Amino acid sequence: METAATKAPARGLWSGDEAVAMAALDGEVALGTGYPGTPSTEILEAFSALGGRAQWAPNEKVALEVGLGAAFAGARVLVTMKHVGVNVAADPLFTAAYTGVDGALVLVSADDPGMSSSQNEQDNRRYAVAAGIPMLEPASSQEAYDFTLASLELSARWKIPVILRMTTRVCHSKSVVHRRDHPLPPAPAPSFVRDIRGRVMVPAFARPAHHKLRKKLDEIRAWAETSPLNAVHEGSLALGVVTAGISFQHVREAAPEASIFKLGVVYPLPLEALRRFAAGVERCVVVEEGDPVVADALLAAGIRVEGKPEMFRFGELSVSRVRRILARDESPEPPEPKAKPPELCDACPYHPVYGALQRMGCIVAGDIGCYTLGVMEPYQAMDTCVAMGASVGVGLGLRHVLPEAQARKVVSVIGDSTFIHSGLNGLVEMVYNPPATGHVLLVLDNGTTAMTGQQEHPGTGRTMSHDATGHVSIEGMARAAGVKNVDVVDPVKDPKGFEELLTRRLASNDLSVIVSRRPCILAAADIRAFEKTNAAKAAAASPCAGCGSDDAA
Amino acid sequence: MPHSLSPVVNVVFAGLGGQGVIKASDVLADAAFRAGHDVKKAEIHGMSQRGGSVTSDVRFGPQVHSPMIPDGHADFLVVLAPTQVENNLHQLRKTGVLFPPDLVPEESLKNRRSLNVALLGALSTHLSIAEEHWRAAIQDALPERLLQVNLEAFEAGRAAERARPPGKGRHAAP
Ligand SMILES: Cc1ncc(C[n+]2csc(CCOP(=O)(O)OP(=O)(O)O)c2C)c(N)n1
Ligand code: SF4
């Protein structure tokens, strides 16, 4: 039988994200779930395009929980998110390390050193250590493919979630990948086997579960000592380099003569193998992007290595920066050449909104999405942007303590996808602890997740593959939560009406939600096409389509 | 230094979001892959849809390590937006070749949006990648209805580069 797996070519030039999707397909992953976020978004999109079962969750925590349930039932699961998404999913993650899994669960954490499209450059290798979850890190698309399969194997063997840590350069770079034929044993069919002590984490069961986790990690550490996922490239004895991920590629080019210990397993570290490697070279340097995670661990284990100068904690590494690290060159680096920053599209529906916010001198508690670009010239109409969903809480906090004249100017501004992701929690807080001056929450509903490339979300009523599904109404949620004034307006059709409404709502002491609804100009044509297709499908599926009766069935 | 002797070819593409920078680099990477090279391609495309600067690096040869081209090591720099030439010149080797957006005359393109493919045509005259691989790569990257216009643009780019007087504006540094 021809399946998606047999149709896709055996060899290709793929991005790291596409390679993970291909491995998920070849590794018989039953479910892929996640929340969009650069640079991870393309993994599930590619998996879905290949015929895999993939779906967007409302946020990363829910994605991980859905994945965990499926893995408890014995399925192989892939959960994807960007680095900050792991913060959202951290609560179930730490305890999932205790419960373990039955099938296999691989969590892709796509980190963004250098912040090409992120609000921070946190180093998620710390999560592996903090939660006690094994972590693999690929250095190329081929390794993204191989390590996804290795993660599935590792997860199934030790019944533990595994984190596959990628970075922007590995996710988005394309390089040559060879697929393998039936790389894993066939996936067993899911079935529920009760394990109360193993999965109900009340203290009495969680205590032994923690001991069990540490025992697993000891075993995995022993396995990592000889795992082929860690590789030594022999070279000069004068210089040894310990490295992982994309930094390995830079090192190969910057110091082709060096001996290299390339880590594939970044947690738990193969400390004894590393100790031998370091002892065998005159000088041993750890070259890693981001925080000195490996360097600190080796130094703490009494292994004689050099870390990098502090200035290289910031931003991505490159061949030239690796040369500097090896030469201990701490002289100032040449300034980044000027690049043109992104801006709102000319016909973006957000223009009239930010025009009004600017004219009215609002204090804008902002959020993350295309609409964050309202902070740029000519509007500069955003005062805070911290994390997805934070606009609501931050706006409320400002209102609680500011003098009345200022408090009345505070507006929380959030996108539709972000509102569903974590703005809902803020909405509940708003109703429960309303400021004396009330509050105004402005939801910018452009019918898509524009920032990350137009993904669907529960508010669009379409699945990842754009088929019709349940629709979560933003205004319905606001009304149900108990917000007094809920309005839906089109700021492009009626900019004056929008501004007048906002002025009225700011003057009152009530709670108000204004849904500003107008599709993203780049997504509008697609949205219309999806709606048309889905309406046609619905009509065809209704029993009286065509002949007007259901006798034909 | 061994790296400067390596036969790896380094091409940087630059422009603004929506101009087809990534598409052009995809076509080159695919053509080089079809020609049997090891290929790596790197780009940052986080917010590129919103008109910001975009660059994409393509490297190919017998074996490529880092997907990113070190500053000053690009053999070729292909720029789609006039405003993006100056800020990317530092990427080019002293002997490197620049392909500025005005290399291909406006009137020789049926559709200005195929400038990316036209500049690929110009670039192709410097590379030993067979015609059939270029054709296949372009065909794979573009929808059927845009194919003809782009194949013509590719030819227009080749002609423009052949007509470029040697030494005139070709190199980044005098
Ligand atoms: C925890 C977390 N997950 C994902 C992201 C990536 N991300 C940034 S904004 C955004 C959603 C934007 O969609 P929406 O709120 O609809 O605004 P739009 O871009 O359409 O204006 C996403 C997914 C993030 N920054 N943080
Ligand atoms: S992509 Fe859509 S939401 Fe984003 S700036 Fe452009 S029109 Fe606005």
Side-chain angles (χ1 to χ4, degrees):
Chain A
M1 198 182 71
E2 197 176 67
T3 62
T6 53
K7 255 191 306 198
R11 174 173 164 271
L13 188 62
W14 291 320
S15 70
D17 281 352
E18 290 166 331
V20 171
M22 201 63 95
L25 187 77
D26 292 346
E28 295 180 35
V29 161
L31 178 67
T33 173
Y35 181 76
T38 310
S40 69
T41 313
E42 294 87 343
I43 300 174
L44 289 185
E45 289 179 334
F47 185 52
S48 177
L50 285 166
R53 175 168 178 188
Q55 52 198 43
W56 291 129
N59 68 32
E60 294 86 353
K61 177 175 187 285
V62 175
L64 178 57
E65 290 156 351
V66 169
L68 194 57
F72 282 160
R76 290 181 189 157
V77 183
L78 182 71
V79 184
T80 69
M81 57 196 65
K82 70 184 282 154
H83 59 342
V84 287
V86 181
N87 301 336
V88 178
D91 194 14
L93 181 67
F94 276 63
T95 307
Y98 284 21
T99 62
V101 295
D102 267 60
L105 189 147
V106 177
L107 172 76
V108 177
S109 162
D111 294 12
D112 189 14
M115 296 175 273
S116 80
S117 186
S118 300
Q119 65 267 41
N120 75 22
E121 55 180 338
Q122 68 184 53
D123 188 330
N124 278 8
R125 293 177 300 169
R126 305 272 196 209
Y127 268 116
V129 183
I133 293 184
M135 177 180 272
L136 306 188
E137 179 166 3
S140 63
S141 298
Q142 181 68 58
E143 285 193 355
Y145 178 85
D146 292 336
F147 286 17
T148 301
L149 291 165
S151 300
L152 287 167
E153 264 182 305
L154 193 64
S155 176
R157 176 165 169 198
W158 271 284
K159 298 188 176 301
I160 190 170
V162 172
I163 302 178
L164 183 75
R165 188 221 185 204
M166 320 240 315
T167 56
T168 306
R169 290 295 175 176
V170 174
C171 290
H172 284 172
S173 294
K174 287 190 175 177
S175 54
V176 181
V177 182
H178 296 260
R179 283 168 68 202
R180 284 187 272 143
D181 210 20
H182 300 292
L184 299 183
S191 124
F192 188 74
V193 181
R194 203 168 200 195
D195 178 10
I196 290 177
R197 298 184 67 88
R199 298 197 195 115
V200 181
M201 288 298 103
V202 292
F205 300 155
R207 284 185 203 109
H210 186 198
H211 284 276
K212 202 164 132 195
L213 167 64
R214 295 296 150 187
K215 198 167 150 277
K216 279 185 195 176
L217 289 171
D218 283 343
E219 288 170 24
I220 296 170
R221 187 171 291 113
W223 161 83
E225 291 288 350
T226 57
S227 163
L229 299 179
N230 300 315
V232 174
H233 297 253
E234 295 196 9
S236 139
L237 297 183
L239 175 66
V241 177
V242 176
T243 187
I246 197 67
S247 309
F248 165 72
Q249 310 289 5
H250 304 326
V251 170
R252 288 293 298 275
E253 194 161 329
E257 74 289 352
S259 297
I260 304 176
F261 194 115
K262 182 196 173 291
L263 290 162
V265 187
V266 292
Y267 182 80
L269 288 171
L271 287 177
E272 295 319 309
L274 286 162
R275 193 186 303 281
R276 283 192 301 277
F277 175 79
V281 291
E282 253 165 67
R283 177 180 175 220
C284 188
V285 185
V286 179
V287 175
E288 57 190 323
E289 229 163 33
D291 293 348
V293 177
V294 173
D296 285 357
L298 298 192
L299 290 170
I303 300 173
R304 191 184 45 88
V305 293
E306 253 174 65
K308 59 185 180 183
E310 177 65 10
M311 63 192 278
F312 298 104
R313 181 197 291 263
F314 307 94
E316 286 189 291
L317 293 185
S318 62
V319 175
S320 4
R321 295 190 92 198
V322 168
R323 285 206 185 97
R324 281 169 163 265
I325 291 174
L326 296 177
R328 297 218 73 80
D329 176 356
E330 294 183 57
S331 64
E333 295 179 272
E336 291 272 318
K338 263 211 321 283
K340 182 174 173 292
E343 53 189 37
L344 292 174
C345 299
D346 284 344
C348 178
Y350 298 157
H351 284 292
V353 173
Y354 281 106
L357 290 168
Q358 184 200 32
R359 274 191 299 279
M360 294 167 67
C362 289
I363 297 172
V364 178
D367 224 300
I368 309 189
C370 268
Y371 52 97
T372 313
L373 295 171
V375 74
M376 313 290 274
E377 292 286 1
Y379 306 114
Q380 299 200 323
M382 189 169 289
D383 295 286
T384 70
C385 166
V386 183
M388 281 186 79
S391 58
V392 196
V394 169
L396 292 169
L398 287 167
R399 284 237 181 197
H400 285 320
V401 298
L402 283 176
E404 185 178 341
Q406 283 192 325
R408 281 209 181 283
K409 289 185 179 297
V410 178
V411 181
S412 292
V413 175
I414 192 168
D416 49 343
S417 186
T418 306
F419 175 78
I420 304 248
H421 174 278
S422 45
L424 280 171
N425 301 326
L427 178 75
V428 172
E429 166 69 5
M430 171 163 142
V431 172
Y432 186 55
N433 291 310
T437 55
H439 190 46
V440 177
L441 169 58
L442 184 54
V443 185
L444 304 181
D445 181 3
N446 62 353
T448 188
T449 316
M451 170 89 167
T452 44
Q454 302 165 16
Q455 289 74 31
E456 304 285 3
H457 62 73
T460 71
R462 287 181 300 274
T463 64
M464 177 185 285
S465 40
H466 313 296
D467 297 320
T469 183
H471 166 243
V472 174
S473 157
I474 295 170
E475 56 274 28
M477 291 293 228
R479 287 194 189 104
V483 173
K484 182 152 176 222
N485 307 309
V486 180
D487 298 277
V488 181
V489 292
D490 180 337
V492 174
K493 221 189 217 159
D494 184 11
K496 218 166 134 251
F498 170 75
E499 192 161 339
E500 280 165 11
L501 176 70
L502 185 57
T503 309
R504 260 199 329 270
R505 294 300 181 231
L506 283 171
S508 93
N509 285 344
D510 296 333
L511 295 178
S512 305
V513 168
I514 301 175
V515 181
S516 163
R517 180 163 292 148
R518 177 84 182 192
C520 158
I521 198 78
L522 295 189
D526 283 344
I527 293 175
R528 276 194 303 274
F530 300 144
E531 279 174 350
K532 212 169 128 193
T533 314
N534 289 340
K537 274 191 203 160
S542 90
C544 50
C547 69
S549 81
D550 56 0
D551 288 354
Chain B
M1 282 194 290
H3 69 271
S4 59
L5 298 175
S6 88
V8 169
V9 177
N10 294 324
V11 186
V12 173
F13 293 85
L16 297 175
Q19 283 195 306
V21 171
I22 307 283
K23 186 62 87 185
S25 66
D26 273 334
V27 170
L28 169 61
D30 188 26
F33 173 63
R34 288 167 191 270
H37 295 287
D38 185 23
V39 184
K40 284 192 179 161
K41 181 186 114 98
E43 77 224 5
I44 293 290
H45 58 48
M47 310 245 288
S48 56
Q49 255 178 349
R50 262 64 66 190
S53 302
V54 187
T55 66
S56 180
D57 295 358
V58 178
R59 317 186 74 187
F60 61 91
Q63 193 186 15
V64 184
H65 295 303
S66 173
M68 293 144 73
I69 299 171
D71 268 0
H73 283 70
D75 302 293
F76 305 101
L77 172 64
V78 181
V79 189
L80 294 170
T83 57
Q84 300 300 300
V85 178
E86 210 43 53
N87 56 338
N88 282 296
L89 275 181
H90 65 102
Q91 310 220 46
L92 206 51
R93 282 185 204 282
K94 280 217 166 54
T95 54
V97 183
L98 169 71
F99 300 86
D102 59 3
L103 173 67
V104 187
E106 190 97 31
E107 61 283 0
S108 68
L109 294 180
K110 276 214 190 94
N111 182 343
R112 199 60 198 160
R113 294 193 56 85
S114 48
L115 175 65
N116 58 348
V117 176
L119 289 177
L120 275 177
L123 171 71
S124 73
T125 63
H126 296 257
L127 304 176
S128 54
I129 295 175
E131 173 96 33
E132 62 189 279
H133 301 312
W134 283 110
R135 193 170 254 284
I138 293 172
Q139 199 159 354
D140 246 30
L142 292 163
E144 185 77 42
R145 67 196 158 80
L146 296 179
L147 187 60
Q148 199 46 43
V149 108
N150 277 287
L151 288 174
E152 283 166 27
F154 190 79
E155 281 314 316
R158 287 181 73 91
E161 179 62 1
R162 288 203 201 93
R164 176 151 60 150
K168 184 140 189 291
R170 279 177 85 125
H171 300 299

